[in-house]
C-alpha cells in the first residue's frame, strides 16, 4: 500500500470552503505515530472550450510545531488586507453590474460570423 493511500484513510476531521471555482479542503490527519497534522488543499476547476473540465490541486502540509507561527502570520496578513482595503470585494468580476469587455478582435469575429450568407444546397 502506498504511503498516500495510508494517509487518506487516516482522516480525522474535515471542513470544506467552496469559493467560486475554487474549493478549499481543511483536513486533520494522523501520522503513523498517531500524531495529528493539517492539510490544506486548494482545488481549482478549469473548463475547456469543448465543455470538458479538469481540476488542479495544491496541497499544504502544516505540522503542530508550526501552528502558532502560521496562525500569527495568517492573522497578520488578513488583518492587514482588511485594515487597508476593507471587507468589500473590489474586483471587477465580483461587481453586480460587471459586464465583460470584449476586444475589437472578438467584436470583429462576431460581426463576420453574423454576416454569413445562408445557402441552401438544393439551390446549387
Amino acid at each position: 500500500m502506498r504511503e498516500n493511500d495510508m494517509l487518506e484513510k487516516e482522516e480525522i476531521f474535515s471542513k470544506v470552503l467552496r469559493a467560486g471555482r475554487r474549493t478549499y479542503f481543511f483536513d486533520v490527519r494522523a501520522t503513523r505515530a498517531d500524531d495529528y497534522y493539517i492539510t490544506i488543499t486548494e482545488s481549482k476547476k478549469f473548463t475547456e472550450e469543448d465543455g470538458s473540465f479538469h481540476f488542479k490541486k495544491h496541497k499544504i502540509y502544516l505540522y503542530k510545531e508550526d501552528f502558532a507561527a502560521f496562525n500569527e502570520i495568517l492573522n497578520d496578513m488578513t488583518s492587514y488586507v482588511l485594515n487597508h482595503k476593507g471587507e468589500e470585494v473590489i474586483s471587477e468580476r465580483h461587481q453586480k453590474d460587471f459586464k465583460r469587455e470584449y476586444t475589437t478582435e472578438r467584436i470583429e469575429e462576431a460581426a463576420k460570423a453574423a454576416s454569413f450568407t445562408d445557402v441552401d444546397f438544393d439551390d446549387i
Side-chain angles (χ1 to χ4, degrees):
M1 180 180 284
R2 289 183 12 214
E3 187 173 328
N4 284 346
D5 294 336
M6 181 96 161
L7 290 175
E8 293 299 321
K9 291 182 179 179
E10 296 299 323
E11 187 175 293
I12 309 301
F13 180 69
S14 295
K15 290 211 173 203
V16 176
L17 171 62
R18 298 195 193 301
R21 66 181 188 154
R22 288 183 171 88
T23 303
Y24 299 97
F25 299 91
F26 299 85
D27 299 300
V28 174
R29 300 188 183 274
T31 65
R32 289 184 186 175
D34 201 33
D35 202 2
Y36 290 171
Y37 66 98
I38 296 172
T39 61
I40 303 169
T41 307
E42 176 198 42
S43 179
K44 188 173 179 183
K45 185 176 182 178
F46 290 89
T47 305
E48 306 296 335
E49 289 182 15
D50 66 0
S52 65
F53 58 88
H54 67 279
F55 295 92
K56 285 190 178 179
K57 295 182 180 182
H58 299 87
K59 190 173 278 201
I60 296 171
Y61 294 85
L62 188 59
Y63 298 95
K64 288 190 317 189
E65 60 268 22
D66 302 320
F67 286 1
F70 186 92
N71 192 40
E72 182 179 334
I73 291 172
L74 182 60
N75 284 331
D76 288 347
M77 301 305 279
T78 56
S79 294
Y80 181 88
V81 171
L82 295 174
N83 289 336
H84 285 82
K85 294 295 180 179
E87 291 187 25
E88 181 183 354
V89 177
I90 57 176
S91 168
E92 63 186 18
R93 288 179 170 230
H94 292 89
Q95 292 176 358
K96 292 177 184 170
D97 60 346
F98 172 71
K99 292 180 183 166
R100 183 177 297 273
E101 299 282 333
Y102 290 100
T103 63
T104 55
E105 289 176 14
R106 285 190 181 175
I107 293 170
E108 289 169 5
E109 288 175 14
K112 285 179 187 175
S115 66
F116 73 92
T117 304
D118 190 13
V119 176
D120 186 353
F121 287 102
D122 291 337
D123 294 341
I124 297 179

